[in-house]
Amino acid sequence: DASNAARSGARDGHVVVADRQTRGRGAHGREWASPAGSDLYLSIVARPEVEPSATPLVTLATGLGARQAAASWLPGRRVEVKWPNDIWIERRKCAGILVESRMLGTKIEAVIIGVGLNVNRTEWPAELQGIATSLKAERDGGGSLDRGEVLATLLEHVERWVKRFVRLGAPTLVNALRPHLSLLGERVRWEEGRGIFEGIDESGAAKVRTDAGVVSLHAARIEPDPE
Protein backbone atom coordinates (compact mmCIF):
# COMPACT_ATOMS: atom_id res chain seq x y z
CA ASP A 1 0.00 0.00 0.00
CA ALA A 2 2.83 2.40 0.80
CA SER A 3 4.55 1.58 -2.47
CA ASN A 4 1.33 2.23 -4.38
CA ALA A 5 0.90 5.49 -2.51
CA ALA A 6 4.44 6.53 -3.42
CA ARG A 7 3.75 5.72 -7.06
CA SER A 8 0.62 7.90 -6.88
CA GLY A 9 2.57 10.89 -5.55
CA ALA A 10 2.20 10.56 -1.77
CA ARG A 11 4.19 13.23 0.02
CA ASP A 12 7.31 12.67 2.10
CA GLY A 13 6.23 11.36 5.49
CA HIS A 14 3.11 9.48 4.34
CA VAL A 15 2.58 6.56 6.77
CA VAL A 16 0.63 3.33 6.36
CA VAL A 17 -0.09 1.39 9.58
CA ALA A 18 -1.59 -2.08 9.93
CA ASP A 19 -3.13 -3.73 12.98
CA ARG A 20 -1.95 -7.07 11.59
CA GLN A 21 -0.25 -8.41 8.47
CA THR A 22 -1.09 -11.58 6.61
CA ARG A 23 2.15 -11.57 4.61
CA GLY A 24 4.57 -9.68 6.85
CA ARG A 25 8.18 -9.99 5.75
CA GLY A 26 11.59 -8.94 6.90
CA ALA A 27 15.00 -8.76 5.29
CA HIS A 28 16.30 -11.60 3.12
CA GLY A 29 12.73 -12.79 2.51
CA ARG A 30 12.16 -13.91 6.10
CA GLU A 31 8.63 -13.98 7.50
CA TRP A 32 7.62 -11.41 10.14
CA ALA A 33 4.90 -12.76 12.43
CA SER A 34 2.25 -10.04 12.69
CA PRO A 35 -0.65 -10.87 15.05
CA ALA A 36 -3.43 -8.35 15.61
CA GLY A 37 -3.98 -6.16 18.63
CA SER A 38 -0.49 -6.04 20.08
CA ASP A 39 2.29 -4.54 17.96
CA LEU A 40 3.18 -1.94 15.33
CA TYR A 41 3.59 -2.67 11.62
CA LEU A 42 4.12 0.39 9.47
CA SER A 43 5.61 1.69 6.26
CA ILE A 44 6.80 5.26 5.72
CA VAL A 45 7.06 6.92 2.32
CA ALA A 46 10.20 9.08 2.40
CA ARG A 47 11.68 11.15 -0.39
CA PRO A 48 15.24 11.90 0.75
CA GLU A 49 17.52 13.63 -1.73
CA VAL A 50 20.32 11.07 -1.60
CA GLU A 51 22.15 8.85 -4.04
CA PRO A 52 20.89 5.27 -4.61
CA SER A 53 24.01 3.96 -2.87
CA ALA A 54 22.81 5.64 0.34
CA THR A 55 19.85 3.30 0.86
CA PRO A 56 21.75 1.17 3.44
CA LEU A 57 22.45 4.35 5.40
CA VAL A 58 18.73 5.14 5.46
CA THR A 59 18.33 1.71 7.08
CA LEU A 60 20.92 2.62 9.72
CA ALA A 61 19.31 6.03 10.34
CA THR A 62 15.94 4.32 10.82
CA GLY A 63 17.56 1.81 13.16
CA LEU A 64 19.10 4.53 15.28
CA GLY A 65 15.76 6.31 15.50
CA ALA A 66 13.91 3.10 16.37
CA ARG A 67 16.56 2.29 18.97
CA GLN A 68 16.12 5.68 20.62
CA ALA A 69 12.34 5.34 20.59
CA ALA A 70 12.48 1.90 22.24
CA ALA A 71 15.02 3.11 24.80
CA SER A 72 12.76 6.01 25.76
CA TRP A 73 10.21 3.48 27.06
CA LEU A 74 12.82 1.32 28.82
CA PRO A 75 15.05 3.47 31.03
CA GLY A 76 18.07 1.58 32.29
CA ARG A 77 17.77 -1.28 29.81
CA ARG A 78 20.34 -2.13 27.15
CA VAL A 79 18.79 -1.30 23.78
CA GLU A 80 21.09 -1.76 20.77
CA VAL A 81 21.17 -1.87 16.99
CA LYS A 82 22.22 -5.22 15.58
CA TRP A 83 23.74 -4.30 12.24
CA PRO A 84 22.19 -3.67 9.86
CA ASN A 85 18.46 -3.73 10.57
CA ASP A 86 17.41 -5.18 13.93
CA ILE A 87 16.80 -3.67 17.36
CA TRP A 88 17.80 -5.75 20.36
CA ILE A 89 16.77 -5.37 23.99
CA GLU A 90 19.16 -7.27 26.23
CA ARG A 91 20.19 -9.31 23.14
CA ARG A 92 16.64 -10.24 22.15
CA LYS A 93 15.00 -8.89 19.02
CA CYS A 94 12.14 -6.43 19.43
CA ALA A 95 12.11 -4.71 16.01
CA GLY A 96 13.14 -5.19 12.41
CA ILE A 97 13.58 -2.75 9.55
CA LEU A 98 13.24 -3.19 5.81
CA VAL A 99 14.03 -0.28 3.48
CA GLU A 100 13.30 -0.52 -0.26
CA SER A 101 13.98 2.10 -2.94
CA ARG A 102 11.75 3.12 -5.82
CA MET A 103 13.87 4.37 -8.69
CA LEU A 104 13.10 6.93 -11.37
CA GLY A 105 15.84 6.49 -13.94
CA THR A 106 19.10 6.66 -11.98
CA LYS A 107 17.64 8.61 -9.05
CA ILE A 108 15.65 7.60 -6.00
CA GLU A 109 12.03 8.61 -6.40
CA ALA A 110 11.09 7.37 -2.92
CA VAL A 111 12.14 4.93 -0.25
CA ILE A 112 9.67 2.77 1.61
CA ILE A 113 10.78 2.39 5.23
CA GLY A 114 9.15 -0.65 6.80
CA VAL A 115 9.27 -1.16 10.57
CA GLY A 116 7.90 -3.96 12.71
CA LEU A 117 8.06 -3.23 16.45
CA ASN A 118 6.91 -5.67 19.12
CA VAL A 119 5.01 -3.54 21.63
CA ASN A 120 2.66 -5.59 23.83
CA ARG A 121 3.22 -9.16 22.71
CA THR A 122 4.26 -11.55 25.49
CA GLU A 123 3.78 -15.00 23.93
CA TRP A 124 5.95 -16.44 21.17
CA PRO A 125 6.02 -19.57 19.02
CA ALA A 126 8.56 -22.19 20.03
CA GLU A 127 11.11 -21.13 17.40
CA LEU A 128 11.20 -17.57 18.83
CA GLN A 129 11.39 -18.44 22.52
CA GLY A 130 14.38 -16.71 24.07
CA ILE A 131 15.06 -14.85 20.80
CA ALA A 132 12.21 -12.34 20.54
CA THR A 133 10.90 -9.82 23.05
CA SER A 134 8.69 -6.73 23.26
CA LEU A 135 8.59 -3.39 25.02
CA LYS A 136 5.96 -4.71 27.45
CA ALA A 137 7.97 -7.85 28.21
CA GLU A 138 11.02 -5.74 29.09
CA ARG A 139 9.28 -3.00 31.10
CA ASP A 140 9.47 -2.91 34.86
CA GLY A 141 6.07 -4.10 35.97
CA GLY A 142 5.22 -5.33 32.47
CA GLY A 143 2.45 -2.81 31.85
CA SER A 144 0.90 -2.48 28.41
CA LEU A 145 1.72 0.52 26.24
CA ASP A 146 -0.58 2.64 24.11
CA ARG A 147 0.37 1.79 20.54
CA GLY A 148 -0.60 5.27 19.33
CA GLU A 149 1.86 6.84 21.74
CA VAL A 150 4.58 4.39 20.77
CA LEU A 151 3.91 5.09 17.09
CA ALA A 152 4.21 8.85 17.61
CA THR A 153 7.49 8.42 19.49
CA LEU A 154 8.86 6.07 16.85
CA LEU A 155 7.99 8.38 13.95
CA GLU A 156 9.49 11.38 15.75
CA HIS A 157 12.86 9.68 16.28
CA VAL A 158 13.02 8.04 12.85
CA GLU A 159 12.19 11.30 11.06
CA ARG A 160 14.80 13.16 13.09
CA TRP A 161 17.60 10.75 12.21
CA VAL A 162 16.73 10.27 8.55
CA LYS A 163 16.62 14.05 8.06
CA ARG A 164 19.82 14.51 10.07
CA PHE A 165 21.60 11.97 7.90
CA VAL A 166 20.39 13.68 4.70
CA ARG A 167 21.43 17.10 5.99
CA LEU A 168 24.75 16.28 7.68
CA GLY A 169 25.94 13.15 5.90
CA ALA A 170 27.12 9.70 6.90
CA PRO A 171 29.80 10.61 9.49
CA THR A 172 27.27 12.20 11.87
CA LEU A 173 25.03 9.13 11.64
CA VAL A 174 27.84 6.61 11.97
CA ASN A 175 29.40 8.35 14.97
CA ALA A 176 26.04 8.46 16.75
CA LEU A 177 25.35 4.81 16.02
CA ARG A 178 28.69 3.30 17.04
CA PRO A 179 28.12 3.41 20.84
CA HIS A 180 24.83 1.54 20.41
CA LEU A 181 25.97 -1.38 18.25
CA SER A 182 25.53 -4.92 19.55
CA LEU A 183 28.11 -7.72 19.14
CA LEU A 184 31.13 -5.39 19.22
CA GLY A 185 34.30 -7.38 19.80
CA GLU A 186 32.45 -10.69 19.58
CA ARG A 187 32.79 -13.57 17.17
CA VAL A 188 30.16 -13.43 14.44
CA ARG A 189 29.29 -15.40 11.34
CA TRP A 190 27.58 -14.48 8.11
CA GLU A 191 26.69 -16.21 4.88
CA GLU A 192 30.27 -16.37 3.63
CA GLY A 193 32.52 -16.41 6.68
CA ARG A 194 33.19 -15.66 10.33
CA GLY A 195 35.37 -13.37 12.40
CA ILE A 196 35.39 -10.64 15.07
CA PHE A 197 32.93 -7.78 14.61
CA GLU A 198 34.84 -4.49 14.91
CA GLY A 199 32.01 -2.04 14.24
CA ILE A 200 31.20 0.02 11.17
CA ASP A 201 33.23 2.25 8.89
CA GLU A 202 32.39 5.74 7.64
CA SER A 203 30.16 4.28 4.92
CA GLY A 204 28.12 2.25 7.42
CA ALA A 205 29.61 -1.08 6.29
CA ALA A 206 30.35 -3.70 8.94
CA LYS A 207 34.03 -4.39 9.65
CA VAL A 208 34.88 -7.98 10.52
CA ARG A 209 38.39 -9.19 11.31
CA THR A 210 38.98 -12.61 9.78
CA ASP A 211 42.04 -14.82 9.50
CA ALA A 212 42.64 -13.20 6.10
CA GLY A 213 42.32 -9.62 7.42
CA VAL A 214 39.52 -7.10 7.88
CA VAL A 215 36.62 -7.40 5.46
CA SER A 216 33.84 -4.87 4.87
CA LEU A 217 30.27 -6.14 4.63
CA HIS A 218 27.84 -3.87 2.83
CA ALA A 219 24.92 -6.32 2.66
CA ALA A 220 24.93 -9.32 4.96
CA ARG A 221 23.28 -10.81 8.03
CA ILE A 222 25.67 -11.22 10.94
CA GLU A 223 24.84 -13.48 13.87
CA PRO A 224 26.66 -14.47 17.06
CA ASP A 225 29.11 -17.32 16.42
CA PRO A 226 29.43 -19.50 19.53
CA GLU A 227 32.13 -21.69 17.99
Side-chain angles (χ1 to χ4, degrees), residues 96-112:
I97 296 156
L98 181 63
V99 175
E100 299 177 328
S101 298
R102 286 185 51 82
M103 303 298 296
L104 183 63
T106 59
K107 294 186 177 182
I108 292 179
E109 178 190 29
V111 294
I112 309 301

Side-chain angles (χ1 to χ4, degrees), residues 74-212:
L74 301 170
R77 304 307 299 274
R78 184 173 58 159
V79 184
E80 298 174 316
V81 176
K82 178 179 150 307
W83 185 93
N85 61 339
D86 290 340
I87 309 301
W88 276 7
I89 304 172
E90 306 291 351
R91 297 181 73 93
R92 286 183 286 196
K93 183 173 178 176
C94 79
I97 296 156
L98 181 63
V99 175
E100 299 177 328
S101 298
R102 286 185 51 82
M103 303 298 296
L104 183 63
T106 59
K107 294 186 177 182
I108 292 179
E109 178 190 29
V111 294
I112 309 301
I113 300 172
V115 182
L117 173 62
N118 298 332
V119 179
N120 290 320
R121 200 182 331 183
T122 56
E123 297 182 358
W124 314 93
E127 64 270 18
L128 295 179
Q129 291 288 339
I131 297 173
T133 191
S134 68
L135 299 182
K136 178 180 179 178
E138 300 295 334
R139 289 187 83 199
D140 291 337
S144 294
L145 291 148
D146 183 291
R147 284 188 293 169
E149 293 183 11
V150 176
L151 174 63
T153 301
L154 176 66
L155 292 174
E156 177 185 0
H157 285 285
V158 168
E159 180 182 31
R160 177 182 300 134
W161 272 106
V162 170
K163 289 190 172 181
R164 188 171 292 179
F165 157 60
V166 172
R167 187 174 72 254
L168 300 177
T172 297
L173 168 63
V174 168
N175 289 334
L177 181 57
R178 280 173 172 152
H180 303 294
L181 289 170
S182 62
L183 301 174
L184 278 171
E186 297 184 29
R187 286 192 59 82
V188 298
R189 54 183 169 80
W190 72 101
E191 294 87 344
E192 299 176 358
R194 51 176 29 106
I196 305 296
F197 180 51
E198 295 190 343
I200 56 178
D201 64 20
E202 290 301 316
S203 72
K207 299 186 298 182
V208 183
R209 182 169 296 280
T210 70
D211 293 339

Side-chain angles (χ1 to χ4, degrees), residues 3 8 47 53 60 65 86 103 113 148:
S3 183
S8 300
R47 299 188 184 275
S53 59
L60 295 181
D86 290 340
M103 303 298 296
I113 300 172

Side-chain angles (χ1 to χ4, degrees), residues 5-18:
R7 188 181 303 112
S8 300
R11 297 176 62 183
D12 178 71
H14 179 87
V15 180
V16 178
V17 184

